[in-house]
Amino acid sequence: MHVERLLGRALNSFDLPDALVERLDSALAHASSLHSSHHSAALHRVTYRHTYLLADGSSLTLWELVHNTGRDGREQHELYADETDVRLAASRLPAGLPDPEDDLDVDLDVELDVDLDADLELLGALLTRPVAPAPVVYEPDDSADHARRVLRRAENADRPGEAVAARLRGAFAHHIKQVFGRQCAVAGKDAGFTLYEHAFLLMDGSEMSVWEVEHTATPDGRHMCEVYEDEQAAREAMELRARVRGRVR
């Protein structure tokens, strides 16, 4: 169950009010969204918003903070009932020395894939005002350099080659979207898979995307990035790693 996994991996779940945890027992469905993301040489920090539809018709939101400040850079999970508290906790994380080539914080608000399609269907039927997907908005913000950094951090042997890099040097605007996120059981340990689309608007008016897989399904549990030219190849790579090294639950 999603709630049980969320509470089980959080270091501070015992700080949540008992009444709040008891209300979660009646959760009928849930939807998760990425609220903010920061990745630098010193710190990887992601905040998720988990909203639950309860049996009495009300909703309840938990805020999850995931960061790599554990021993040997291992991921740590924290849960908060209030957005102000999770922002405060995020601000207190050690950021280390800034790297001028690091990406800036990226604030996103996009729906994630979740465990149970049936739950999402129920949630959509019960909510009176379903939220329509946000249109793609390209941001002109050093997009060619952003593309260079995305390709540079890719560790997979079949990452995009020079032809793709050459086209992306003509990018003048871009948009980042998370299209998938899931926890997996890998060799008896939790690991995470996240899929991002980096969409670029090029000087000739055309559009182009590359697909970035971030995961911790590595022998030592470290964070790894892979980049692919199309979404299907990226999803097949995630499925292969989950099949070889673990079992998606």
Side-chain angles (χ1 to χ4, degrees):
M1 185 177 180
H2 185 268
V3 174
E4 295 174 350
R5 292 200 302 273
L6 198 64
L7 295 173
R9 68 187 179 223
L11 297 176
N12 65 333
S13 57
F14 55 87
D15 287 335
L16 295 173
D18 291 341
L20 181 147
V21 176
E22 290 174 3
R23 290 184 65 200
L24 287 171
D25 288 339
S26 68
L28 300 175
H30 75 277
S32 299
S33 63
L34 177 69
H35 182 67
S36 67
S37 176
H38 170 86
H39 298 283
S40 69
L43 176 67
H44 296 284
R45 184 196 70 221
V46 184
T47 303
Y48 297 98
R49 179 174 56 206
H50 304 281
T51 301
Y52 295 87
L53 181 67
L54 306 183
D56 61 3
S58 63
S59 63
L60 189 155
T61 297
L62 290 178
W63 300 85
E64 182 182 24
L65 177 64
V66 183
H67 53 86
N68 66 331
T69 62
R71 180 177 298 179
D72 298 326
R74 292 186 180 277
E75 280 194 347
Q76 306 281 355
H77 297 255
E78 300 173 24
L79 277 180
Y80 297 90
D82 187 86
E83 182 181 1
T84 302
D85 292 337
V86 76
R87 286 182 178 273
L88 179 61
S91 70
R92 290 174 173 171
L93 293 175
L97 295 175
D99 182 340
E101 290 193 350
D102 283 340
D103 288 336
L104 298 177
D105 280 9
V106 179
D107 287 321
L108 305 172
D109 190 7
V110 295
E111 291 190 359
L112 303 179
D113 292 328
V114 292
D115 300 346
L116 304 175
D117 291 339
D119 279 356
L120 283 182
E121 184 177 351
L122 176 61
L123 181 61
L126 293 176
L127 292 177
T128 57
R129 297 182 63 186
V131 179
V136 174
V137 178
Y138 287 100
E139 295 291 339
D141 185 18
D142 293 328
S143 300
D145 192 54
H146 172 76
R148 180 185 63 83
R149 293 196 300 272
V150 170
L151 296 178
R152 184 184 64 181
R153 63 180 176 247
E155 299 184 50
N156 52 307
D158 54 345
R159 59 187 177 274
E162 177 55 31
V164 171
R167 287 196 66 195
L168 290 178
R169 283 196 282 270
F172 72 91
H174 69 280
H175 174 80
I176 307 170
K177 177 182 178 182
Q178 180 171 344
V179 296
F180 179 88
R182 184 159 298 173
Q183 290 295 120
C184 304
V186 177
K189 298 179 181 179
D190 279 344
F193 285 86
T194 310
L195 175 62
Y196 296 96
E197 178 187 11
H198 298 265
F200 297 91
L201 188 60
L202 308 183
M203 293 295 292
D204 61 6
S206 63
E207 297 173 287
M208 180 178 182
S209 292
V210 294
W211 302 83
E212 181 179 22
V213 176
E214 293 186 354
H215 67 85
T216 54
T218 51
D220 57 358
R222 73 177 180 86
H223 184 271
M224 181 177 181
C225 292
E226 304 177 15
V227 179
Y228 297 89
E229 292 187 43
D230 61 78
E231 182 179 6
Q232 183 61 31
R235 288 185 176 271
E236 288 176 357
M238 288 192 296
E239 291 173 3
L240 177 61
R241 285 196 172 273
R243 188 163 58 246
V244 171
R245 297 198 52 80
R247 174 179 59 84
V248 175
R249 66 186 188 184

